[in-house]
Amino acid sequence: MRLFVHSLLLATLLPLAGCPLLAVEAEVGEVCVTYKDIEIEGVPTGDRVQTTFSTDDLGQLKELADQDAELAFTRVVVRAHGSGVPSVSSAHVTVASGDPESTLPTMPIVECDGDCVSDGFTIEIPAGIQQSALEYVQTGSLVVDLDLRGQLPIEAWTADVDVCMTGTFRYVLDPSE
């Protein structure tokens, strides 16, 4: 009887030998890389400012990107603090890899001309086209260039900047590999 049960179990499991034991696909809710207290210089003419900043601390986001994942840039949020409140009429944000070995090009991720959403101290700029963020995150370092135009403070001010993305993550546990 015992031999019959083992043979039956083997006959049942044998067709499953090429199948993964576990396969998971999940949507990644919006994840943002936050740059804190970015110093933005005042502009005597008050109409345009450009600043560049970077981070090498992508933490778990890089770990996620190193798996089977897809990530796309979705928006940039600039939260100004201090006494000067910028009124932005146009904004252009590009991202590049901070890895000196990388050959990835500088990529525009958001652009708005006259339609930037500004609410007091917060400027939200949606991505016009959801560009892939995966290769940039996989390099472990992002360099962001922020170019703002409008009525800007003539004295230096600081802001927190969120570069946000969303996507999918897949994980397969396959004992045959």
Side-chain angles (χ1 to χ4, degrees):
M1 179 69 165
R2 182 177 241 176
L3 182 58
F4 175 73
V5 172
H6 285 256
S7 298
L8 183 60
L9 183 60
L10 186 59
T12 305
L13 294 178
L14 197 53
L16 298 177
C19 297
L21 185 60
L22 172 69
V24 176
E25 182 170 323
E27 290 292 319
V28 176
E30 189 171 66
V31 178
C32 299
V33 176
T34 300
Y35 300 83
K36 294 273 193 190
D37 298 320
I38 302 299
E39 177 93 18
I40 301 174
E41 65 185 53
V43 249
T45 59
D47 64 351
R48 180 178 184 206
V49 68
Q50 185 174 5
T51 189
T52 301
F53 44 93
S54 65
T55 185
D56 296 326
D57 183 21
L58 299 179
Q60 292 179 337
L61 184 59
K62 181 175 179 337
E63 290 175 27
L64 177 69
D66 287 341
Q67 301 299 315
D68 185 12
E70 294 175 15
L71 291 172
F73 292 107
T74 56
R75 66 187 177 121
V76 173
V77 178
V78 179
R79 287 180 311 285
H81 15 117
S83 57
V85 180
S87 173
V88 174
S89 59
S90 74
H92 303 276
V93 182
T94 62
V95 69
S97 169
D99 179 356
E101 305 285 320
S102 175
T103 58
L104 292 170
T106 298
M107 178 175 59
I109 57 172
V110 295
E111 293 189 26
C112 68
D113 287 309
D115 59 350
C116 299
V117 178
S118 181
D119 177 22
F121 284 95
T122 303
I123 306 154
E124 185 169 339
I125 313 159
I129 300 172
Q130 290 194 351
Q131 299 281 359
S132 176
L134 186 62
E135 291 179 298
Y136 292 85
V137 172
Q138 285 174 331
T139 68
S141 178
L142 295 178
V143 176
V144 177
D145 184 70
L146 179 65
D147 185 347
L148 303 174
R149 293 175 190 244
Q151 296 177 357
L152 304 169
I154 59 172
E155 294 183 14
W157 51 289
T158 59
D160 296 338
V161 178
D162 295 332
V163 176
C164 303
M165 54 203 88
T166 189
T168 58
F169 164 74
R170 287 174 288 285
Y171 178 76
V172 176
L173 176 61
D174 189 347
S176 67
E177 292 182 354

